[in-house]
Amino acid sequence: MAKMPYFKPKSMVYTGNQKQTETIIKHYHYDVSSMTEDQLIDKGVVHKSYIQVIGLSDIEKMKTIQERYQIESFVMEDILNVNQRIKIEFTDHYIFTTLAVRYLLDNQIKTDYLSMYVTKDTVITFHETEPHYLDDIVGLLHDYVELQAHGADMLFYHILDVITDQHLEVFDYLELRVNQFEEEVLESKTLEQEPFYLLRKKMLQLHSIISPLFEQSEKMLSKRLPLLTEDTTNYFQDLKDHLKRLDNKLFQARDTMRQLLDLHMNNQSTKMNRIMSTLTLFSAIFIPLSFLTGFFGMNFHNFDALDYRYAITVFIIVCVVIASGMLLFFKKRRWF
């Protein structure tokens, strides 16, 4: 096994798999009267800015962004480390967020990495691939006056709110599949285990995003951050409630899936018990018949009953009577 290389602290090394993706920068300038877009990083304008960085493999461009917006080296290291834990870090001058995103595209659950750097008038989001789930944000910058009038903290809220809506949509999709599995278990008493476990895994992955994001947002709101105005804080309180509700739904869904799995195992156990009961009953019926067959099949020197003209008929009748009697007895005792 190859030894992993050691990177010293503050190293700008992209750890993802999208190294072939070209680094594209989309810079949106906006205020209450206009919104423009270009491909250059211009910090000299008086407008507020939203910058999307798509593709993280071009380290030179990343260094340009770092120098232009004076981003700390440790923060840049976290931005390029796409395996970073979900967190919201904050100081008096910036808020830094990293999280994984799940969203639906063509009825398929897609995954993206997002890190976000927020200052007073600027929001920068970093992505490995095109963030289709944020397409509505550009429209909001163009049309939504309240967003245009507020600072970058309001844009920060709307990005998190859009992502939360995407997670709710993913949950609804997964919940529908859970309900289908529930109907299958109740009606046919069977469960396709491989698709079920894959569904459970996706549910756990979503929970691993929502739960820490809720905790981190709660921690952020417990502080009086200079970058968050009172109006925006009220919006974040509403967002926190949405995250809490989704977290509770995920917990209930996980509990439902655990119960479905238990019900499936009980159904399989009951089915096996019925099979074993049936086999045991047939074995019990043939025990006396096997005894009679063995007894009359022994080579006695003197066995007058074997010379009786209707011996075979009597033997068959006795066997049928014994088997029928045992079946009636088992039925009366409700053993099957």
Side-chain angles (χ1 to χ4, degrees), residues 215-241:
E215 294 173 358
Q216 293 292 315
S217 62
E218 192 172 37
K219 179 182 177 182
M220 180 183 68
L221 291 174
S222 67
K223 308 291 184 181
R224 291 186 174 272
L225 300 181
L227 291 178
L228 295 183
T229 63
E230 184 176 351
D231 289 343
T232 309
T233 300
N234 293 332
Y235 281 96
F236 274 101
Q237 290 288 354
D238 182 66
L239 175 64
K240 188 185 74 171
D241 290 340

Side-chain angles (χ1 to χ4, degrees), residues 62-302:
M62 302 301 291
K63 287 181 178 179
T64 301
I65 296 173
Q66 179 188 13
E67 293 170 0
R68 192 68 59 88
Y69 288 93
Q70 299 179 353
I71 302 175
E72 294 182 1
S73 297
F74 283 115
V75 173
M76 288 303 302
E77 180 185 10
D78 288 346
I79 289 172
L80 295 174
N81 181 8
V82 299
N83 299 313
Q84 190 63 241
R85 67 181 177 87
I86 295 173
K87 62 181 180 180
I88 301 178
E89 295 179 343
F90 41 82
T91 68
D92 291 344
H93 307 291
Y94 69 84
I95 300 173
F96 175 62
T97 303
T98 61
L99 68 153
V101 180
R102 299 288 189 275
Y103 63 99
L104 283 179
L105 184 65
D106 299 327
N107 285 327
Q108 296 291 326
I109 298 178
K110 303 294 184 180
T111 302
D112 190 25
Y113 161 80
L114 166 71
S115 57
M116 185 160 32
Y117 186 80
V118 183
T119 61
K120 182 180 179 181
D121 295 317
T122 303
V123 175
I124 309 175
T125 57
F126 299 87
H127 315 267
E128 286 192 283
T129 57
E130 185 74 28
H132 297 286
Y133 53 92
L134 293 181
D135 289 345
D136 292 337
I137 293 296
V138 178
L140 289 174
L141 289 176
H142 191 272
D143 300 325
Y144 191 28
V145 177
E146 188 171 5
L147 174 59
Q148 297 168 346
H150 282 77
D153 56 338
M154 181 62 77
L155 178 57
F156 175 45
Y157 157 76
H158 278 286
I159 291 174
L160 289 181
D161 189 49
V162 167
I163 291 173
T164 301
D165 288 343
Q166 294 292 332
H167 287 160
L168 280 167
E169 187 176 357
V170 170
F171 172 77
D172 291 339
Y173 174 79
L174 295 176
E175 187 181 36
L176 179 62
R177 295 285 294 121
V178 171
N179 293 336
Q180 291 173 348
F181 276 113
E182 185 176 18
E183 293 177 2
E184 180 182 336
V185 171
L186 293 177
E187 292 178 3
S188 63
K189 309 297 182 183
T190 59
L191 180 67
E192 296 183 59
Q193 293 193 15
E194 184 175 351
F196 182 80
Y197 277 111
L198 291 175
L199 177 63
R200 186 171 182 270
K201 182 179 180 181
K202 292 177 182 178
M203 195 73 78
L204 291 173
Q205 289 173 340
L206 184 59
H207 182 263
S208 69
I209 297 172
I210 299 302
S211 183
L213 185 58
F214 167 72
E215 294 173 358
Q216 293 292 315
S217 62
E218 192 172 37
K219 179 182 177 182
M220 180 183 68
L221 291 174
S222 67
K223 308 291 184 181
R224 291 186 174 272
L225 300 181
L227 291 178
L228 295 183
T229 63
E230 184 176 351
D231 289 343
T232 309
T233 300
N234 293 332
Y235 281 96
F236 274 101
Q237 290 288 354
D238 182 66
L239 175 64
K240 188 185 74 171
D241 290 340
H242 291 172
L243 289 170
K244 180 61 176 177
R245 178 165 57 90
L246 181 54
D247 187 56
N248 290 336
K249 284 186 174 183
L250 283 165
F251 179 81
Q252 294 172 0
R254 289 170 57 202
D255 188 57
T256 299
M257 296 187 76
R258 190 181 301 112
Q259 292 176 2
L260 285 178
L261 186 59
D262 291 341
L263 180 59
H264 170 66
M265 298 303 294
N266 289 335
N267 287 339
Q268 294 300 106
S269 179
T270 301
K271 183 178 179 180
M272 183 60 65
N273 288 337
R274 288 177 178 174
I275 293 174
M276 295 305 297
S277 297
T278 302
L279 293 175
T280 302
L281 290 175
F282 277 101
S283 299
I285 291 172
F286 278 94
I287 286 174
L289 303 184
S290 299
F291 169 75
L292 292 176
T293 302
F295 180 79
F296 286 100
M298 290 187 290
N299 297 321
F300 290 112
H301 292 291
N302 297 308

Side-chain angles (χ1 to χ4, degrees), residues 44-65:
V45 296
V46 296
H47 298 76
K48 295 182 283 291
S49 295
Y50 171 45
I51 302 172
Q52 280 187 357
V53 182
I54 305 169
L56 307 179
S57 59
D58 192 330
I59 302 301
E60 293 303 317
K61 286 186 178 181
M62 302 301 291
K63 287 181 178 179
T64 301
I65 296 173

